[in-house]
Every structure is written in structure tokens, then in C-alpha cells.
Amino acid sequence: MAWMEDEDQKKSQEQGIESILKKEGGKPKETVGGTENQTDPNKEIWSLLEKTLSENIVEKRRARRWKIFFRLFALAIIVTVISTWIMRSNMPEVGFEEDVVAVIPMRGVIGVGSDIESNEFVGLIDRAYRNPQLTAVVIEMNSPGGSPVHSGIIYDAIQEKKENYPDTPIIVVVEDMAASGGYYIAAAATEIYANKASLVGSIGVISSGFDVSGLLEKIGVERRTFTAGRNKAFLDPFAPMTKEAKDKWQVVLDETHQQFIDAVKEGRGDRLTITDDVFSGMVFTGQQAVKIGLIDGLASVQHLLKHRFPNARPVVYAPKQEPWKELAKELGVEIATKIINTSNIQ
């Protein structure tokens, strides 16, 4: 770019000289024998002004070129990230020559709009089983529970795969916890493993709220609620719950609890040792859970893959983020990586 700057500077100087000559009459001063006929007392001032103007023009053009360069550089990064993301999205999940173990992470609360939603994870399980090289499915479970409905849907999907693909085990490995709905899902698996300090169980159902009707009465506030149906507002925290509503709501909770119990019994079978605490909602450590048959042993995902499936390739089937969120994340990582790689720390 140096030759372009020199050329710009030369043009700027010529333009400056021409403009000065025009101001002085439009003609250059004649010289005889290399000496000017007329001495210009402002010549040095005009020369300095010309030089300053020309350097200013060159500097502006240089700044404009760098601005264009950085814009093109940023555009190239964005295009590269988008191309990589599209290629990765279109990359087939099948076609590996070696055996494959599908790893499905289930982490968070269970329910609609939550971390673990049945529609999404049933789809992930279906995608995993479309791989012809599939040897096993490993679910990384870390959930405190949530919706019994979504837990039941995922439970049924796992049970169906177990029946249709008896030679392909579904193994749940518990990380921090598989409690309540988290264990509901885990109970459908062929095998369950956990760490000795993991929290397992909590086989129960809970519904909680508040009764602040006494507080309203104390502060002199009267609440007006209009309903059609005497039990329509039975969970209203601003009104006392009737005995009829309590009894009927307890029946609902008991029935849901029994569905949970039946699912655990069906999933664990003869491995389960039923005690007074198993279905009481109590939580057990992994070490305690082994003794009563809630889990089959103590192991981590890495240990399981290394010793149980040493020749299989793990393939992660994880929920996809919103495209713009995933793109923004990858773009941020890409830019940060380039900055680190091009920066020198003295």
C-alpha cells in the first residue's frame, strides 16, 4: 500500500501547488539562470501549508483504507462462522463405520418450557435409534424433577424402545441427582448407575401453596372472587380451603403417586427391595440406593464408556438452541479465539 500512499501524496502536492498558483494569478513565476525574478515573502508559509494539507489528505485516505479492511475482516469472520454452522447442521449423524453409543444429556427441571421437555427429548431418542450403528443409549441424568406428565411421556418412550430394541440397552447415569420426576424417567432404563454421593429417589408427589386469608382479615381487606363451580377456586391462597376440597385434592395426589410407584415397580422389577421408606418420598445416596435396588451400581459416564463400550464412538444428542442463540454463541467464541491468537502478551 506504500506506493498508493506516495502517489496520493504526490497528487495532493500537485493539487496544492496548482491551487496556490491560481490564487496568485494562475501563472508560475519566471526564473532566469535558476533565480526567481521576483521574491515571494510568503513562499515558505505556502510550502508548509501545502505539506500539511497533503499529509492530512493522505492520513484520511489511509484511515479510510483501514476502516474498509476491518469491515471486510469482520464480514469474513461472520461468513466463516455462518458457513461452519450450516455445514455442521447439515452434517449427517449416521455413517460411522464403528459402533456408536448415543449420549443424551438430561439436565434441569422437567416440564413444558423447561430444560427437559418431553417433545424434544422423545425426538432425540428417536433420532438416536435411527443410527444403524447404535450399540447403546446413555442418558446423563441430573434433575430434581418436575412435571409428572412430561416424566411419564419420556418414561413411556424409553419403555417402548426397550421392547422394540431388546439388544440395545438404555442406561441412565445419575450425576448430582435423579429425584422425583428425574428418577421416574430413570426407572424405565435397562440399567441405572450413580455416584456414591448422588441423590436418588424422592418417589412422591407434592403440591404446595399458602393460605393468607387470615392476613387479609387482619389488615381489613375483603377479596371478591366470582366462580361457577364450588371447587373452582379451591387452590386460591386468599381463601381457606374446605374439607371437601382437601379430600378430593389428596385423592388426585395419591393417584399420581400410585402411577409413579407402578412405574418404578415395572421398571426395576425384582431388583427393587421394597421398604417403608422407598415410596415415602425419601431421598437416598447412591450408596444406599444400590442396597435397595433403586440403582444397579456406582459408575460415571466416562467409566461406563471406557470399560463397557471401549470400541464404540460416543455421539451426543443434545437439545438444539434457538438458531440465533447458537449462532451468537459461536460467533462470540470465534471472535474471542481470533483475538487471543493474534494478541501478544508482553
Side-chain angles (χ1 to χ4, degrees):
M1 296 171 65
W3 64 272
M4 296 179 67
E5 293 174 3
D6 293 342
E7 184 179 349
D8 289 342
Q9 190 169 2
K10 185 177 178 181
K11 289 181 178 179
S12 299
Q13 290 175 350
E14 291 175 356
Q15 291 173 359
I17 293 171
E18 289 177 1
S19 63
I20 292 172
L21 289 174
K22 287 180 180 179
K23 290 181 180 179
E24 295 182 354
K27 293 183 180 180
K29 296 178 182 180
E30 297 179 357
T31 59
V32 178
T35 305
E36 292 182 359
N37 290 336
Q38 185 178 354
T39 304
D40 184 0
N42 297 322
K43 180 178 180 181
E44 292 183 0
I45 297 176
W46 284 111
S47 176
L48 180 61
L49 183 59
E50 288 175 22
K51 184 178 180 181
T52 303
L53 289 174
S54 63
E55 288 178 354
N56 186 38
I57 292 172
V58 171
E59 188 64 30
K60 286 184 177 179
R61 290 179 178 175
R62 185 186 292 118
R64 187 167 62 249
R65 291 193 188 100
W66 278 112
K67 186 183 293 185
I68 294 172
F69 170 76
F70 281 117
R71 286 178 178 174
L72 292 175
F73 180 71
L75 180 62
I77 293 176
I78 293 173
V79 170
T80 302
V81 172
I82 293 175
S83 302
T84 304
W85 177 68
I86 292 174
M87 290 175 62
R88 189 183 301 176
S89 299
N90 295 331
M91 189 178 296
E93 297 172 350
V94 298
F96 299 119
E97 294 182 359
E98 67 269 37
D99 292 337
V100 165
V101 174
V103 179
I104 303 177
M106 289 191 186
R107 299 186 177 98
V109 178
I110 305 165
V112 61
S114 300
D115 303 301
I116 304 174
E117 192 169 353
S118 59
N119 292 336
E120 189 168 36
F121 279 88
V122 169
L124 289 175
I125 294 171
D126 288 339
R127 279 172 50 198
Y129 273 88
R130 287 198 292 267
N131 193 327
Q133 283 81 36
L134 186 68
T135 300
V137 175
V138 175
I139 296 175
E140 295 177 313
M141 176 61 69
N142 196 347
S143 174
S147 166
V149 175
H150 285 261
S151 301
I153 292 173
I154 299 174
Y155 175 97
D156 292 340
I158 294 175
Q159 286 282 62
E160 182 182 356
K161 295 301 181 186
K162 280 171 55 180
E163 294 174 4
N164 295 336
Y165 303 89
D167 297 329
T168 305
I170 300 181
I171 304 171
V172 169
V173 180
V174 181
E175 294 177 336
D176 294 302
M177 66 174 63
S180 194
Y183 186 76
Y184 194 151
I185 295 172
T190 311
E191 302 169 43
I192 307 174
Y193 295 92
N195 184 271
K196 60 181 180 294
S198 300
L199 298 180
V200 180
S202 187
I203 303 172
V205 182
I206 184 173
S207 173
S208 58
F210 298 94
D211 181 357
V212 295
S213 57
L215 177 62
L216 294 182
E217 186 176 349
K218 272 188 177 183
I219 62 177
V221 176
E222 179 184 351
R223 185 166 182 268
R224 295 171 181 175
T225 304
F226 302 93
T227 61
R230 66 180 184 277
N231 289 316
K232 182 61 180 176
F234 75 97
L235 290 178
D236 185 356
F238 298 101
M241 183 178 283
T242 64
K243 184 179 184 307
E244 178 190 11
K246 287 180 181 179
D247 293 341
K248 290 184 176 180
W249 185 233
Q250 188 60 52
V251 169
V252 172
L253 297 181
D254 290 340
E255 184 175 335
T256 306
H257 187 205
Q258 189 59 50
Q259 294 171 1
F260 194 170
I261 293 171
D262 294 341
V264 173
K265 286 182 177 179
E266 181 182 0
R268 298 304 295 165
D270 297 336
R271 292 170 290 183
L272 183 65
T273 300
I274 299 177
T275 66
D276 292 339
D277 287 335
V278 171
F279 301 129
S280 68
M282 181 57 64
V283 178
F284 305 91
T285 66
Q287 206 158 14
Q288 294 171 334
V290 173
K291 296 177 182 178
I292 56 179
L294 287 175
I295 65 175
D296 297 286
L298 303 176
S300 64
V301 172
Q302 292 76 13
H303 182 273
L304 190 71
L305 294 175
K306 181 178 179 181
H307 296 280
R308 183 82 171 268
F309 308 102
N311 300 319
R313 175 174 181 168
V315 177
V316 178
Y317 291 80
K320 287 189 176 181
Q321 295 180 343
E322 293 292 332
W324 66 271
K325 289 183 180 179
E326 191 172 350
L327 178 60
K329 182 179 179 181
E330 294 193 13
L331 178 59
V333 172
E334 185 78 14
I335 292 175
T337 303
K338 287 186 177 295
I339 291 174
I340 291 172
N341 291 338
T342 55
S343 299
N344 293 322
I345 301 177
Q346 301 295 337

